[in-house]
Amino acid sequence: MYQKVQSIRVVATFFGLWISAYILGNFQDYVAFFLIFSLGILHGSNDITLIKRAYNTKNLTFLKVLMSYLLIIGVGTTLFFSIPPVALILFIVFSAYHFGEQHFHFLKIDNGIISYLFYLGYGLLVITLILYLNASDALSIINEMIGVIISLDVLRWILLISAILTIITGALVYLKQKLNVFIELFYLFLFSIVFFASNLIWSFALYFILWHSLPSLADQVQYLYKEVTKETIIQYIKSSFIYWLISVVGFFVLVQFLENSPTVMLSFFFSFLAAITFPHVLVMHKILKD
């Protein structure tokens, strides 16, 4: 089953690559944003339910969970307004670890420094590939977000460091686990082709949806309902719909207060994703390590 799902994702990625070649301009971005705001946001919309299940104690009421969730989002948002460079670094580190953990959690690696560095290195490698292969747009957005000029050399160094970290920790993981090195190298090669041929938003959307959000949704449905079926997927959507709706409506309401600039809009978009990412990473780490 796992191999079948992987094959479907590879085919879908090639289809996404085809789209990037034949569907150009704003329409491609509209499709990308639609996927992100539907499946992408949905995969993090049920965090409150997941938190209650993961930390199953009598003292953990819905109100306490909600307040804790909003507090973490509030802290993340405040960081982006007060010290944006620190907030961006934290967002990238959290996201990188989360991407790596989601991609490799099937290995059931012992929780320890090697596994943490492996997840972090791999996720950082993927994120930096997206940024480096779309450097012009990526650097404009980063500079707008943090108010500091970041050069291409910085991305090169991060790419090199993340690759070295992935190779070293991956070799240690390989000695203990059945890690298919060749298939993982093929995936990275495929990602690189897609990221090189596509613009920043489409590159991010393809990876975020096909290789992160959909597998995460399947894991969440399995965790909550013990099986992934049409009925349990519908249950998941029903239970998370109101949170998804609030997130999407809230984003578009806040957008109305921004100046009509593509760079400003994209920087706010990624800041928004960062704010809701922090609590999601924490609860998914709890679920995936159990």
Side-chain angles (χ1 to χ4, degrees):
M1 180 63 180
Y2 175 78
Q3 294 300 329
K4 182 178 179 181
V5 171
Q6 293 295 84
S7 299
I8 292 173
R9 286 199 286 177
V10 169
V11 172
T13 303
F14 276 113
F15 180 69
L17 180 62
W18 176 83
I19 289 177
S20 70
Y22 289 95
I23 302 180
L24 305 174
N26 292 334
F27 184 72
Q28 184 181 130
D29 291 342
Y30 292 149
V31 175
F33 279 118
F34 172 77
L35 292 172
I36 293 169
F37 279 103
S38 55
L39 293 172
I41 300 299
L42 179 66
H43 102 280
S45 297
N46 223 359
D47 288 347
I48 292 177
T49 303
L50 292 168
I51 290 170
K52 289 187 68 178
R53 177 68 64 84
Y55 300 92
N56 186 21
T57 64
K58 294 181 179 179
N59 295 327
L60 197 61
T61 64
F62 172 80
L63 183 59
K64 288 182 179 180
V65 173
L66 179 61
M67 294 305 293
S68 299
Y69 184 81
L70 293 177
L71 177 62
I72 295 174
I73 291 179
V75 170
T77 304
T78 302
L79 283 175
F80 267 100
F81 279 103
S82 57
I83 40 177
V86 174
L88 180 62
I89 292 172
L90 289 175
F91 170 51
I92 291 176
V93 169
F94 269 64
S95 298
Y97 178 85
H98 183 47
F99 284 177
E101 184 177 44
Q102 179 64 56
H103 188 85
F104 287 110
H105 77 276
F106 68 92
L107 291 175
K108 302 299 181 183
I109 307 172
D110 294 336
N111 293 314
I113 187 63
I114 297 301
S115 63
Y116 296 149
L117 291 176
F118 179 54
Y119 296 149
L120 175 62
Y122 181 86
L124 189 58
L125 178 59
V126 171
I127 291 174
T128 312
L129 277 172
I130 295 175
L131 299 177
Y132 183 75
L133 295 176
N134 295 277
S136 179
D137 290 337
L139 291 175
S140 295
I141 293 169
I142 292 173
N143 295 337
E144 177 67 35
M145 289 176 68
I146 66 176
V148 176
I149 303 300
I150 301 297
S151 69
L152 186 61
D153 287 336
V154 173
L155 292 182
R156 288 197 185 101
W157 276 107
I158 297 175
L159 187 63
L160 177 61
I161 292 170
S162 60
I164 293 173
L165 181 60
T166 303
I167 292 170
I168 293 175
T169 55
L172 295 174
V173 169
Y174 176 78
L175 295 175
K176 296 183 178 181
Q177 300 288 337
K178 294 180 179 179
L179 175 62
N180 192 326
V181 176
F182 293 105
I183 196 65
E184 295 302 334
L185 288 175
F186 168 74
Y187 291 154
L188 287 172
F189 178 69
L190 175 60
F191 297 158
S192 299
I193 293 175
V194 172
F195 301 159
F196 177 78
S198 308
N199 65 23
L200 177 64
I201 298 302
W202 190 244
S203 298
F204 176 75
L206 283 179
Y207 182 81
F208 186 55
I209 300 303
L210 294 177
W211 294 89
H212 179 72
S213 297
L214 290 177
S216 179
L217 280 168
D219 289 336
Q220 292 176 48
V221 172
Q222 179 70 37
Y223 180 78
L224 291 172
Y225 306 109
K226 308 305 179 186
E227 59 180 346
V228 180
T229 64
K230 179 181 178 180
E231 290 73 21
T232 56
I233 292 173
I234 292 174
Q235 281 183 268
Y236 180 93
I237 294 174
K238 286 180 177 178
S239 66
S240 60
F241 178 78
I242 186 63
Y243 304 117
W244 170 83
L245 184 63
I246 291 172
S247 298
V248 173
V249 171
F251 173 82
F252 284 103
V253 168
L254 292 173
V255 160
Q256 305 308 311
F257 297 95
L258 298 176
E259 61 180 272
N260 189 20
S261 164
T263 302
V264 172
M265 293 281 288
L266 286 174
S267 65
F268 178 76
F269 166 71
F270 284 108
S271 299
F272 169 78
L273 283 184
I276 62 178
T277 291
F278 291 126
H280 177 69
V281 172
L282 294 174
V283 67
M284 288 307 298
H285 173 67
K286 169 67 174 175
I287 291 172
L288 294 176
K289 78 173 185 176
D290 287 343

